[in-house]
């Protein structure tokens, strides 16, 4: 029988802590964990690529979004040399996140799917569809109803001596 000194599943002196626990887990569980992490990496890379591609496309939509802000808020100003540039980047990233969110949600779904029982898959599918609908409805409500009403309300407090000038980075 092998001695405890040569066994890999029993911690030796100096082999304590989370890193060693992970090493021993990998040794015990074999390739299952590695395959799981590889699948996670693949899903994250696909999600990141979708986000980057959608953000690049979002960059082309930024002028329209700024036009909408100017239409509803009036004059927009920036007070730092880099503020207009970084505001455009933030807007492109936000647009990219909204556009790529279905791909990201799908990748998360495909990653979790193998671990679910059939009845859990059916229930979660219903929640995902309802959640996606409510997400889009919330975006539309905020963009077309809540934003214009609240903006008009707050801008109505301006006076002749105190005219509103909206700093674009703080308005996002």
């Amino acid at each position: 029988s092998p001695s405890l000194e040569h066994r890999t599943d029993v911690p030796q002196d100096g082999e304590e802590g989370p890193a060693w626990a992970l090493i021993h887990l990998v040794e015990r569980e074999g390739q299952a964990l590695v395959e799981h992490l590889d699948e996670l990496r693949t899903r994250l890379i696909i999600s990141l690529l979708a986000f980057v591609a959608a953000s690049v496309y979002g960059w082309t939509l930024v002028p329209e979004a700024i036009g909408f802000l100017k239409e509803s808020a009036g004059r927009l100003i920036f007070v730092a040399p880099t503020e207009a540039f970084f505001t455009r980047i933030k807007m492109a990233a936000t647009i990219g996140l909204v556009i790529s969110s279905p791909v990201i949600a799908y990748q998360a779904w495909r990653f979790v799917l193998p671990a679910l029982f059939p009845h859990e898959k059916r229930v979660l599918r219903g929640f995902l569809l309802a959640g996606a609908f409510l997400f889009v409805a919330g975006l539309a409500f905020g963009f077309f109803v809540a934003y214009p009403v609240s903006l008009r309300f707050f801008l109505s407090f301006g006076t002749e001596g105190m005219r509103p000038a909206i700093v674009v980075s703080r308005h996002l």
Side-chain angles (χ1 to χ4, degrees):
S1 76
S3 69
L4 289 178
E5 296 171 1
H6 300 293
R7 292 185 53 195
T8 59
D9 60 338
V10 177
Q12 303 296 317
D13 289 334
E15 294 183 1
E16 297 176 3
W20 283 106
L22 181 61
I23 289 170
H24 290 296
L25 175 69
V26 169
E27 288 173 350
R28 283 193 310 270
E29 299 298 325
Q31 290 294 350
L33 179 62
V34 173
E35 290 171 5
H36 192 65
L37 291 174
D38 187 49
E39 175 75 12
L40 177 61
R41 182 184 65 206
T42 301
R43 301 289 176 193
L44 288 173
I45 289 171
I46 292 170
S47 296
L48 182 64
L49 289 175
F51 170 71
V52 169
S55 295
V56 168
Y57 176 68
W59 180 266
T60 66
L61 300 176
V62 167
E64 292 176 37
I66 290 174
F68 175 79
L69 289 175
K70 283 179 15 183
E71 221 175 78
S72 58
R75 183 173 158 221
L76 299 173
I77 63 169
F78 61 95
V79 293
T82 59
E83 186 174 4
F85 174 72
F86 284 115
T87 297
R88 287 175 182 262
I89 288 178
K90 287 178 194 176
M91 291 175 80
T94 302
I95 293 168
L97 184 61
V98 170
I99 292 172
S100 66
S101 64
V103 174
I104 295 169
Y106 178 75
Q107 293 303 316
W109 167 257
R110 294 297 298 177
F111 179 72
V112 172
L113 192 64
L116 299 177
F117 293 110
H119 71 279
E120 292 172 330
K121 292 176 186 177
R122 281 191 304 275
V123 170
L124 189 56
R125 189 175 293 124
F127 278 117
L128 285 175
L129 291 174
F133 171 75
L134 291 173
F135 175 74
V136 171
L139 280 177
F141 176 79
F143 192 71
F144 294 111
V145 177
Y147 169 74
V149 169
S150 63
L151 186 64
R152 263 184 267 129
F153 172 75
F154 288 118
L155 290 179
S156 71
F157 288 98
T159 64
E160 184 61 37
M162 190 171 60
R163 292 193 337 244
I166 296 176
V167 177
V168 68
S169 65
R170 294 185 186 161
H171 187 60
L172 298 178

